[in-house]
Amino acid sequence: MRHFLSIRDHTAEEIEALVTRAVQIWQGAAPKKLSGAFATVFYENSTRTRLSFQRAAEMLGLSHLQISQEGSSIRKGETLEDTLRTMRALGAVGAAVRTPQSHALEDVPRQDLGLSLINAGDGWAGHPTQALADLAACRVSIGSVRGRRMLIVGDVLHSRVARSCAEAFRLLGATLQFAGPPTLLPEGLAEALGGERVEIDRAIGEADLVLVLRLQRERQEKGYLPNVAEYRRYWGLTEERYARLGPQARVLHPGPQNRGIEIDAAVVTAEQSLIGLQVRAGVHARAALLEEVLSDAH
Ligand code: CP
């Protein structure tokens, strides 16, 4: 594995192996020691993803080159490819890249770049390392996801997390259900992602995993929603809906949360919430991934 751009490029065995290794590192196994630098190239804001790549790189003995639009020559018009070539010249052996455009890394000529590339979130298309983190958090909390019923709720249309988690959890044997307003879960999207559309209040009591999606207000054009109070009422994981979860169920949210809109504040830190665990899992999942993509190639 040299690059990690999409869950779709990988087999169930490869994804399972990464999750297993993430949990081993989490439980104290020593990560491999690598040399050189790892770059985070972010064209969008991030807290969890960027800092967990930084922590993971440090665990493997790599130094960290951080670049964002503000304060860099990206603002002068430098292209993504030239920015990545500059990172290579500065000693980077790999780079995690976040872009507002879907599939941006697919246009970068990877053969002669000399860098392993990781998709850290691209537009609506994918956020595959979030899916690895979420699988690792589930592995630690409930074990295998095989046979578990996952309910994905909310702004599926604009969610790269929904796409990557749907691909990854289904690949590892979970069944998928989707609920959301028709404007944000249009006809046919649930089926295109390998699941079925359900009514949230009918499905929630049977769900094993409830993935609450952030309302992607920065990506929305006008007209998707009447208002956020109605969104919470019809689609939010409110305290009332949380109380109807089975004892086996766990709540996931990739963060950052819009508290009081797609999820109530009390649910974020509730006993069956994995939200804090997902962030911790993100460091170990990314350490396992960096080991895998960087150790053979460099
Ligand atoms: N889940 C996630 O991608 O969060 P950040 O935008 O903070 O990285």
Side-chain angles (χ1 to χ4, degrees):
M1 194 185 295
R2 177 80 198 274
H3 307 287
F4 192 72
L5 303 187
S6 169
I7 296 291
R8 283 192 305 281
D9 298 336
H10 301 285
T11 63
E13 290 71 27
E14 288 171 337
I15 300 299
E16 283 277 17
L18 286 170
V19 174
T20 298
R21 182 62 183 151
V23 173
Q24 286 171 351
I25 294 172
W26 200 346
Q27 293 173 344
K32 287 182 191 166
K33 288 296 172 195
L34 304 175
S35 59
F38 185 75
T40 51
V41 180
F42 276 50
Y43 290 73
E44 281 186 355
N45 294 343
S46 167
T47 298
R48 294 151 197 76
T49 311
R50 177 156 53 193
L51 293 179
S52 59
F53 270 116
Q54 178 176 348
R55 292 275 295 115
E58 289 165 358
M59 287 166 71
L60 274 65
L62 298 159
S63 57
H64 178 223
L65 299 173
Q66 174 182 318
I67 187 166
S68 53
Q69 295 197 71
E70 291 307 321
S72 78
S73 288
I74 294 171
R75 275 277 178 251
K76 299 178 195 166
E78 189 158 41
T79 64
L80 174 57
E81 181 182 339
D82 286 345
T83 299
L84 292 169
R85 290 191 188 283
T86 303
M87 294 300 105
R88 178 68 187 127
L90 290 169
V93 290
V97 180
R98 173 172 288 188
T99 60
Q101 301 84 17
S102 299
H103 310 296
L105 280 174
E106 289 171 17
D107 296 332
V108 172
R110 295 190 286 281
Q111 298 75 6
D112 68 337
L113 203 57
L115 279 176
S116 289
L117 295 182
I118 297 174
N119 178 1
D122 62 331
W124 301 1
H127 193 351
T129 64
Q130 180 69 48
L132 290 182
D134 295 351
L135 284 166
C138 288
R139 177 77 66 85
V140 164
S141 175
I142 58 167
S144 170
V145 300
R146 181 160 299 282
R148 308 269 185 184
R149 190 177 302 194
M150 183 179 219
L151 173 61
I152 302 179
V153 182
D155 187 359
V156 181
L157 180 64
H158 299 100
S159 177
R160 55 194 174 209
V161 172
R163 285 169 179 76
S164 286
C165 282
E167 290 162 4
F169 280 73
R170 185 162 172 255
L171 191 64
L172 298 200
T175 59
L176 303 179
Q177 297 180 322
F178 295 85
T183 46
L184 299 176
L185 180 60
E187 184 84 25
L189 183 55
E191 292 74 17
L193 295 174
E196 59 170 347
R197 182 191 198 102
V198 294
E199 293 295 328
I200 183 170
D201 287 315
R202 287 196 184 174
I204 199 147
E206 302 296 319
D208 298 308
L209 297 165
V210 181
L211 172 57
V212 182
L213 300 173
R214 184 168 70 87
L215 193 60
Q216 304 254 321
R217 288 185 287 179
E218 76 274 27
R219 291 187 214 284
Q220 288 184 13
E221 294 132 33
K222 288 190 172 44
Y224 283 96
L225 299 169
N227 59 61
V228 293
E230 279 204 24
Y231 184 87
R232 174 183 177 273
R233 185 168 148 220
Y234 287 111
W235 311 107
L237 187 56
T238 59
E239 287 186 69
E240 293 74 24
R241 288 195 175 102
Y242 177 83
R244 292 169 47 207
L245 293 173
Q248 83 296 347
R250 297 290 182 272
V251 174
L252 298 147
H253 189 305
Q257 300 92 33
N258 296 300
R259 289 178 178 224
I261 301 179
E262 76 266 5
I263 189 165
D264 278 5
V267 178
V268 173
T269 51
E271 196 183 341
Q272 288 169 250
S273 165
L274 298 187
I275 292 172
L277 204 67
Q278 288 173 264
V279 179
R280 293 205 289 283
V283 176
H284 306 290
R286 290 172 178 113
L289 180 62
L290 294 191
E291 268 189 350
E292 174 62 31
V293 299
L294 298 179
S295 49
D296 286 346
H298 305 284

